[in-house]
Amino acid sequence: MSYQVFARKYRPKTFDDVLGQDHVVRTLKNAIEQKRLAHAYLFVGPRGTGKTSTARILAKALNCPNGPMVDFDPENDLCQEIAEGRSLDVLEIDGASNNGVEEVRQLRETVRFAPARGQFKIYYIDEVHMLTNQAFNALLKTLEEPPEHVKFIFATTEPHKILATILSRCQRFDLRPIPADTIASHLQHIAKEEGIALDDSAAWAIAKGADGGMRDAQSMLDQLVAFCGDSIHEENVLDVFGFTSRETVASLVGALLARDTPTALGLVQREADAGRELSQLLGELIGCLRALLIAGLDATTGAEGIPAETWKSLTEAANAYPSERLLSVIDVFAEAEGRMRWATNKRLHLELGLIKSIQALGEVRISDVIKVLAGAADQFQGNGGSPSPERTALPPSEPKAPAPSEATPEPAPVATPVPTPKAEAPSKGALDIDALIDAAPDVAEEPPAPIKTESSKPEPTPEPEKAKEADDDFYKDPLIQKALTMFQATLK
């Protein structure tokens, strides 16, 4: 017998063999057992998730001896004919090459004939979205009221291209991407059957690279066997397909959270020199950041295949930042991913994304300033003007700058810029909020004089000279002067 690739040799034969699609399998089983069979089914899902295999299994269950039956014998002659695509009662049609009106008219002529051996005449149309609108319209009446012995099964990866009138006449089943751990487990099963030593880390790397498609994972394993022989390690997977190891992704995320720009850029350079696919690296990076963001809300979530000790250190580093900072970093990388899709120099956009994301982690935002000032004001009001020993602080990751001098600068006229004391500028453009709070006790000791008003009389309009004096009093307020000093601002 000629050699068969793993994707064909290990194709599911029964409902129990279908992996990762329990919701579809359960519904079809119940429909068969309860004799609630529809006349048209539509299977939707990404490539390699089991659309054609599920359609063939359904055809076997309908046309098997003494059927319809859920627990049929896949080795039966009828089932073997359906599996090999040579059954006269199960016609598999390629929608890409038979998408015209003439092909649909021929199909309408053949539906009148009774099945040869089974109970039903089944038409399976793959990539049904490739049919033209005229072909869809020619199929409408037959699809809505087919003969009792006819069943239609459609499969597509792009359901939005199918006419709504067709969709409304079918029972739709959405097949989901298969989880990576399920794919890795099945690859280990295939390796055991074939006598291949497959490392767990290698199986996980293949499963992540397959991106939810079982057929892609089986094809990759087949290629690795041809390359490596009977022993496959993670390094082989990375070298053949250009994937990035989990340790590299964890190291890059760790450097990002530590705001270590040279280390992060060095890791990108190393991966680029090794011929790794940088788009795949960015996708892994975004996935790890997403997992860290969710882990901050639910500690029971998965670790994206990263070792436990490394994952623990990453979660501790991520907890030092508020969730909105991680969200902003993911947004930066999402923009970089969109630019990398069409760019020739992918490394440039990845490096720019890393630099911007590190800056986003270290920057002080206006919301942080408002929170600190609002907290300080609440403390003064709650303590009768005396400062509280507790203070509202920025996230612990913010850089600290030396406190400026406690001396208050001389007040200046409105049109003259306020002199700024010579103090060391905060690093990375951050604002020294702690120093501003430290200055608050001086402000509380010298509160501004209250303005006396008479409630019985409306407040008179101040004369220009008095208004100017009031403005001068406002600008001479110690708190205003201290804020101008700390923010290095001027009044105009």
Side-chain angles (χ1 to χ4, degrees), residues 120-172:
F120 299 97
K121 200 172 187 65
I122 302 173
Y123 292 88
Y124 172 64
I125 303 180
D126 193 14
E127 300 300 334
V128 69
H129 66 274
M130 300 293 290
L131 268 64
T132 62
N133 290 343
Q134 293 78 7
F136 275 130
N137 291 328
L139 187 61
L140 281 177
K141 190 62 178 178
T142 304
L143 182 61
E144 184 175 18
E145 297 178 357
E148 294 184 357
H149 62 272
V150 173
K151 302 292 181 184
F152 288 98
I153 304 177
F154 302 138
T156 181
T157 56
E158 303 181 43
H160 59 278
K161 294 184 179 180
I162 302 177
L163 295 181
T165 50
I166 296 293
L167 295 175
S168 63
R169 288 168 168 81
C170 302
Q171 284 192 6
R172 173 171 172 169

Side-chain angles (χ1 to χ4, degrees), residues 234-284:
E234 184 182 16
E235 293 78 10
N236 305 131
V237 181
L238 304 182
D239 292 339
V240 173
F241 300 106
F243 296 156
T244 304
S245 65
R246 295 171 295 175
E247 289 75 12
T248 301
V249 175
S251 300
L252 185 57
V253 174
L256 172 64
L257 295 176
R259 295 161 59 188
D260 188 354
T261 305
T263 301
L265 296 179
L267 287 171
V268 172
Q269 180 180 359
R270 188 187 72 183
E271 293 298 299
D273 294 341
R276 302 287 188 257
E277 178 57 44
L278 296 183
S279 297
Q280 191 263 347
L281 171 60
L282 180 56
E284 293 283 346

Side-chain angles (χ1 to χ4, degrees), residues 66-248:
N66 302 321
M69 183 187 304
V70 173
D71 299 324
F72 58 86
D73 182 12
E75 304 301 328
N76 182 270
D77 292 341
L78 281 175
C79 296
Q80 287 287 345
E81 291 179 359
I82 295 173
E84 296 173 3
R86 53 186 177 87
S87 174
L88 297 177
D89 297 332
V90 180
L91 303 179
E92 296 189 10
I93 302 172
D94 179 19
S97 56
N98 299 277
N99 57 359
V101 178
E102 293 300 327
E103 288 81 0
V104 174
R105 288 176 180 173
Q106 293 177 7
L107 184 149
R108 290 173 55 187
E109 293 295 328
T110 60
V111 296
R112 298 178 299 174
F113 300 106
R117 298 181 61 185
Q119 298 188 35
F120 299 97
K121 200 172 187 65
I122 302 173
Y123 292 88
Y124 172 64
I125 303 180
D126 193 14
E127 300 300 334
V128 69
H129 66 274
M130 300 293 290
L131 268 64
T132 62
N133 290 343
Q134 293 78 7
F136 275 130
N137 291 328
L139 187 61
L140 281 177
K141 190 62 178 178
T142 304
L143 182 61
E144 184 175 18
E145 297 178 357
E148 294 184 357
H149 62 272
V150 173
K151 302 292 181 184
F152 288 98
I153 304 177
F154 302 138
T156 181
T157 56
E158 303 181 43
H160 59 278
K161 294 184 179 180
I162 302 177
L163 295 181
T165 50
I166 296 293
L167 295 175
S168 63
R169 288 168 168 81
C170 302
Q171 284 192 6
R172 173 171 172 169
F173 294 86
D174 288 85
L175 282 74
R176 305 163 183 166
I178 304 175
D181 54 351
T182 302
I183 296 178
S185 176
H186 187 61
L187 292 178
Q188 290 287 11
H189 167 72
I190 295 176
K192 183 178 180 181
E193 293 290 328
E194 297 291 329
I196 301 170
L198 178 64
D199 291 347
D200 292 337
S201 57
W204 179 265
I206 297 173
K208 290 291 291 182
D211 196 20
M214 182 66 76
R215 185 175 64 238
D216 290 353
Q218 292 172 337
S219 301
M220 291 163 61
L221 179 61
D222 216 340
Q223 184 176 347
L224 285 168
V225 172
F227 176 77
C228 306
D230 297 337
S231 180
I232 302 175
H233 306 283
E234 184 182 16
E235 293 78 10
N236 305 131
V237 181
L238 304 182
D239 292 339
V240 173
F241 300 106
F243 296 156
T244 304
S245 65
R246 295 171 295 175
E247 289 75 12
T248 301

Side-chain angles (χ1 to χ4, degrees), residues 358-386:
I358 292 175
Q359 291 177 348
L361 286 176
E363 67 184 3
V364 176
R365 303 188 176 187
I366 188 63
S367 59
D368 300 327
V369 178
I370 293 175
K371 288 179 182 178
V372 171
L373 294 178
D378 292 341
Q379 291 173 6
F380 287 131
Q381 294 177 359
N383 292 277
S386 59

